[in-house]
Structure formats: C-alpha cells, structure tokens
Amino acid sequence: MLARAVSHLRKLIEDLPAWSALPRRVGLMALKDFNHYVLLRSDRYFKRTRMWGYPSFVHFEPINRCNLECPLCPLTTGRMDRETAVVSFADFKTVIDQLGPFTKTLQLVGIGEPTMNKELFEMIAYAKRRYSPIDITINTNGHFLNEMNVERMISSGLDVAIIAYDGLDADTFLTYRVGGDYDKLNQGIKRLVERRRTMGRRKPVVHLQLLLHRDAASQAEPFRRRAASLGVDIVRLKTLDVHYGIGERFDGSPDSTDLIPADVEHATRYRMEAGRLRLKRSVTTCDKPYLMTNINGDGSVTICDMDFNNWHPFGNVFTTPFREIWNGPAYVKYRDTMLRDFTALSMCAECTCPMTFESETDYEVHEELVDVPAEGGDWPGDKTIPVSRRSAL
C-alpha cells in the first residue's frame, strides 16, 4: 500500500505542467528524501529482500571503450568479456525516466571514458532538466576537453567532473595512464576552468585526482600546489586498488602488486604480511544492494561496478522494467545471501570500497578544498569534506 502511495505521488509530480518548475522541484525533493530516509532505511533495518524503495545512487556506464590503456583496467588486461557498448540517448532516457524521480546521485562512470559518448552531455542536460534536484558526476581522463566539449559540459548542468591527473610530470603520469598526452590534459583542465569563469558558472565543480601508484605516491604535497595553480576546486587523493573486480580471492601475488608504492602505508587498503599484501580491513557488510544499482553499457544490471563482467547479473534494463529487476529473483537472492553469509560472495568479501547508509562514500578517497598557500608558506590546515557534499559547492 505504501509503495502504491509513492507511485501515485510520483505520477502527480510528473504530471505537473511545465510552468510549475518550483512545485515540481520541491515535490521531487520530498519524494527523493522520503524514498532515501524512510523507505530504503526501513528496508535495510527490517532486512527486506523485496524492496519498498528505489535506489538513491545510480552508476550508469555510458560507454565501455577508452582511449588509454591503464595497466589495471579490465579493458587493458582483457579480463572484461562484455562486448563494446555505447549507450544511446533513447536508451538512457528509458532508464532515467524510471529511476530519476528517486535518484539523488547519478554517476556516469564505468569501464571506459564517458566523454567518448557523443550524446553524454545531452543525457546530463535531460536528467538535470527533468529530475532535479539530482547530482550528476563523471570521471574522465580529461583528454577530450576541447572547446566544444567544455562548452557542452558546462551548459549541460553537470555537477562534478573528476579528472584523473595521476602525476606531476609526463613520465609519472604515463606510468599509469598509458597512451595519454600530458600536455593535452593540462590544456584541457585550464580550458575548462577558464571557460567556466567566463560563463559565470560555478559548476561543474572540478576535482583533480591523484592515484597513489608506485611513482606518484610521493607527490601528494606538490600535487596540492599544482591543483591550486590550475584553478580547480578540490583535490582527491585515491589509494590504489590492485584487485579491482577480479571476482576471486585476492592472494597478494607479486604480479598484481607491481604498482603498489614501496612505502605500503601509502596504499592504505593493504598491509604487508609474510611478504604478501593483505587487505587491512575485513568487510562484513555493505548496503549497496539497498542504496544503489549499477547499469552497464549493454543494459545489464549488477550490484556495483566491481562486477564489470556480469558475474552476478540481475537482468537487462533495456528490455525489462527496472522495478521487475530490482525485486526480481536474482536481486532478492543476492540480498538474502549477503544478509545470511556475506563471505559466501567472494567479490563482496574482498571488496575495498563498501557503502553504508552512514558512509555513502569510498573510504579510500581523501578530498580537500583547494586553497592557495602564501608564497613559500605551508599548506593550510586540512579541509576535508565528505564526497556526498562535493556538488553543493
């Protein structure tokens, strides 16, 4: 009965005329908050496997192609068996029209470079126009920040652009971003920041990310200064995940740890034990089956982007209504297994980035507001902000 009432409220909000922008926005805000704070939390508290609420966080892979060959990426290593897929605007619209009224955060990320999808900014503009308030984030390697894309990115209403920088010089950068163009990346970042300024916009909030791999781990402090000189808003320091999505038990073998910093303390996901890397933290719970969903470029629905190979497929949202998938037998069985025996799911038991209602962020990402220090002075005090607040700047 409660789910039926929510469905009626959703229809009432969506049927508001175009000129009712403010009432529609307020209505959607109320619906999203009710879904997140009441329905989903009650689902989790009562350990329901058939859900009343819809996911508040949506990961949607716009494309699974890339221009780079990063050494730990499933595209480079050949671990991903899915066929190449580029999401069309029509397919995106079909999905977001089902999920948008409940989605608080939409992350257009996955295996691939999202800006290679030529309809990406049309998708963002549609979601912002139709389903605000909704925070939209993309992760990009920054190699397609030409004049046209920068203009489209800013005009689309994108909230957050996370740009992979990963080194203070070309050699360090190319250690991980194989095939990249360091000069092109820097030019693109400057172009985005400057164009945003001339357009009088505050968004997208630009995050510059340093992946703490073997050659970059010692560059964290000068990286902060470089970020300030480029004019970005936030610096992100992210530790390396060497067993991303392997779908099997992590044994800390040397061939999988070559990029780990020599000072293992820089790799905070791990500890050294008997000459092998072990996870520092044992994950015993995760609320992703309640809070979020992951949609791959071919429409397949999985628990999160760690399942990049559809080891645990729940259905295809391009051919089946999402509600049927969300409460379908495969999703229900997965939730039930997690509740009864979390360790039975090796992909989840070995995960380094769980999500809970109390911590809706990746605990291996550290973020700071950029503040330019005085010439020759020390860097200002830590100004860490939670990831979930980043688009409120």
Side-chain angles (χ1 to χ4, degrees):
M1 183 176 294
L2 183 58
R4 190 179 299 115
V6 171
S7 178
H8 287 320
L9 176 59
R10 169 186 175 175
K11 188 175 188 309
L12 178 65
I13 294 169
E14 290 186 330
D15 286 345
L16 286 171
W19 51 265
S20 303
L22 182 59
R24 178 185 173 82
R25 184 181 178 91
V26 171
L28 280 172
M29 184 184 299
L31 179 59
K32 294 179 185 202
D33 284 349
F34 182 74
N35 174 71
H36 180 79
Y37 293 107
V38 178
L39 296 183
L40 290 180
R41 282 181 176 268
S42 68
D43 285 335
R44 183 66 180 92
Y45 180 80
F46 291 108
K47 299 181 179 180
R48 298 190 188 102
T49 55
R50 295 185 181 277
M51 306 286 288
W52 285 4
Y54 270 75
S56 290
F57 297 84
V58 176
H59 283 198
F60 201 141
E61 178 185 77
I63 186 172
N64 62 6
R65 291 166 46 200
C66 191
N67 57 311
L68 303 184
E69 296 182 351
C70 302
L72 294 179
C73 176
L75 280 176
T76 305
T77 61
R79 292 180 302 184
M80 191 184 80
D81 297 330
R82 287 189 288 120
E83 299 204 357
T84 299
V86 182
V87 177
S88 69
F89 174 76
D91 282 339
F92 173 82
K93 184 176 180 297
T94 296
V95 175
I96 202 64
D97 283 345
Q98 298 175 64
L99 294 173
F102 306 98
T103 302
K104 295 171 75 69
T105 300
L106 171 63
Q107 294 186 307
L108 293 169
V109 298
I111 306 297
E113 169 52 43
T115 57
M116 289 178 68
N117 186 319
K118 296 182 179 179
E119 294 185 292
L120 175 72
F121 301 116
E122 185 180 358
M123 298 175 190
I124 294 170
Y126 176 80
K128 292 295 292 186
R129 181 175 64 251
R130 183 73 179 162
Y131 296 111
S132 283
I134 182 172
D135 290 334
I136 303 181
T137 298
I138 66 168
N139 291 54
T140 175
N141 61 44
H143 282 61
F144 295 93
L145 296 177
N146 55 42
E147 293 284 355
M148 182 179 70
N149 280 343
V150 162
E151 184 90 20
R152 294 177 67 202
M153 178 184 289
I154 297 170
S155 299
S156 71
L158 177 68
D159 293 283
V160 176
I162 301 173
I163 303 175
Y165 202 71
D166 299 341
L168 292 185
D169 55 78
D171 289 341
T172 304
F173 172 77
L174 291 171
T175 299
Y176 195 81
R177 300 295 168 181
V178 178
D181 185 326
Y182 194 60
D183 291 336
K184 187 176 184 179
L185 170 63
N186 280 280
Q187 292 165 9
I189 295 169
K190 292 175 182 177
R191 184 178 295 120
L192 172 59
V193 171
E194 175 61 19
R195 187 65 182 128
R196 186 185 63 174
R197 184 189 66 79
T198 60
M199 291 177 67
R201 302 289 186 87
R202 299 178 64 193
K203 294 184 178 182
V205 176
V206 180
H207 295 221
L208 206 63
Q209 177 173 287
L210 181 69
L211 183 65
L212 300 175
H213 60 77
R214 179 192 63 221
D215 297 336
S218 63
Q219 298 181 342
E221 190 60 34
F223 171 68
R224 292 178 169 100
R225 296 181 183 275
R226 176 69 60 82
S229 70
L230 289 170
V232 303
D233 306 294
I234 291 176
V235 293
R236 306 177 98 231
L237 305 177
K238 184 173 183 178
T239 58
L240 196 67
D241 184 355
V242 299
H243 69 304
Y244 168 61
I246 59 175
E248 57 191 31
R249 297 291 180 182
F250 176 59
D251 63 2
S253 56
D255 61 338
S256 66
T257 61
D258 179 59
L259 287 166
I260 288 288
D263 179 0
V264 76
E265 287 306 310
H266 282 295
T268 57
R269 299 174 195 239
Y270 308 97
R271 57 184 169 81
M272 192 64 73
E273 181 180 292
R276 302 179 83 79
L277 286 178
R278 300 299 181 197
L279 290 172
K280 276 188 175 180
R281 165 171 155 170
S282 177
V283 177
T284 57
T285 185
C286 180
D287 291 337
K288 286 181 180 178
Y290 295 89
L291 270 172
M292 68 162 288
T293 194
N294 180 72
I295 301 168
N296 293 317
D298 58 2
S300 56
V301 179
T302 60
I303 194 69
C304 69
D305 59 346
M306 293 294 286
D307 188 358
F308 59 81
N309 235 359
N310 289 346
W311 287 295
H312 303 279
F314 300 139
N316 192 297
V317 76
F318 293 162
T319 58
T320 306
F322 181 79
R323 186 72 190 185
E324 293 181 18
I325 298 173
W326 186 236
N327 278 327
Y331 235 132
V332 168
K333 182 180 179 181
Y334 202 93
R335 293 188 190 104
D336 182 63
T337 302
M338 289 192 80
L339 289 170
R340 287 187 295 103
D341 184 9
F342 191 87
T343 60
L345 302 164
S346 63
M347 185 182 68
C348 295
E350 302 295 329
C351 178
T352 63
C353 48
M355 173 186 280
T356 67
F357 280 96
E358 289 69 36
S359 178
E360 298 162 357
T361 66
D362 183 345
Y363 74 98
E364 297 297 350
V365 174
H366 174 78
E367 295 193 341
E368 298 172 7
L369 294 170
V370 171
D371 191 5
V372 182
E375 186 66 29
D378 294 330
W379 189 262
D382 184 21
K383 297 184 178 181
T384 306
I385 61 171
V387 180
S388 56
R389 287 185 49 229
R390 62 192 170 200
S391 60
L393 297 176

